[in-house]
Amino acid sequence: MQIEIVALVASPVHAFEGRPADGPRPDPEDPRRERIEVRAGLGVVGDRYHGRAAHRLASVTLLAAESLDAVAAELGSATFDPVLVRRTIVTRGFPVDELAAPRGGAGAEFTLDTGDGPVRFRVHRPANPCRWMDVVLAPGAFKALRGRGGVRCEPLSDGTLRAGPATLELRDQWAASSQLRP
């Protein structure tokens, strides 16, 4: 199915350290990317989670822009900059939260292709929001994002992804599932 990648993020530092009241740590460079290089089992080249064993199954996070739109509307805010949530890939056009693995089960496998060939991922668990969302988005965003904060993924193949139009393809077992609604 055709979707859009509205934001790509890769940052060499973890900006959300310490207490939210102290504000985020500044990035040494803008984390927004026009393209990212994904490596199987390692993550995104140049990102803080790349090659870290503890993050092998969660080195790439995926979020639906529609979730941010809904939270902004609920909180009476203007549209949020999708880079602020620091998810690796923010898409528009597919309910990514529905791809998360059920407790004790396996998550969906899918590919994203932005024209340089498909990059394959396996979803493992939800990407739960943190209290920092109340600071970087708006008061109440932490609670409002629960259940729709995206998913944590493991990259299964190498490749390049670019911001803009993309094709998302689900593995057969998930594409036929009645729980997923495009």
Side-chain angles (χ1 to χ4, degrees):
M1 77 183 54
Q2 292 303 120
I3 66 165
E4 178 186 7
I5 294 179
V6 298
L8 295 168
V9 172
S11 174
V13 300
H14 195 307
F16 298 156
E17 290 182 341
R19 297 180 183 162
D22 296 335
R25 179 173 153 185
D27 277 296
E29 59 188 57
D30 186 358
R32 184 181 323 265
R33 302 286 185 260
E34 286 301 311
R35 74 186 238 325
I36 56 173
E37 295 293 326
V38 178
R39 297 291 174 256
L42 297 173
V44 174
V45 174
D47 189 71
R48 64 201 173 279
Y49 297 124
H50 183 265
R52 300 218 176 193
H55 295 279
R56 186 178 64 79
L57 301 180
S59 61
V60 174
T61 52
L62 191 70
L63 175 73
E66 292 86 351
S67 294
L68 284 179
D69 296 344
V71 168
E74 288 171 20
L75 298 177
S77 297
T79 303
F80 297 128
D81 178 352
V83 172
L84 294 176
V85 293
R86 299 182 71 86
R87 298 299 192 237
T88 315
I89 304 167
V90 181
T91 64
R92 182 170 299 284
F94 189 80
V96 300
D97 291 298
E98 296 179 14
L99 298 174
R103 181 164 241 146
E109 284 189 26
F110 67 95
T111 60
L112 284 173
D113 189 342
T114 58
D116 294 305
V119 182
R120 196 165 56 107
F121 298 92
R122 178 180 297 118
V123 178
H124 287 282
R125 65 183 194 271
N128 297 317
C130 65
R131 293 221 177 263
W132 281 94
M133 296 303 101
D134 286 347
V135 174
V136 298
L137 295 179
F142 166 64
K143 185 176 180 181
L145 275 168
R146 288 185 194 157
R148 54 185 170 185
V151 292
R152 295 187 179 278
C153 305
E154 168 189 14
L156 301 175
S157 67
D158 294 350
T160 300
L161 294 174
R162 300 175 189 280
T167 302
L168 183 145
E169 197 171 304
L170 294 169
R171 198 171 124 190
D172 290 342
Q173 74 182 51
W174 286 88
S177 172
S178 62
Q179 74 177 2
L180 295 177
R181 297 175 307 278

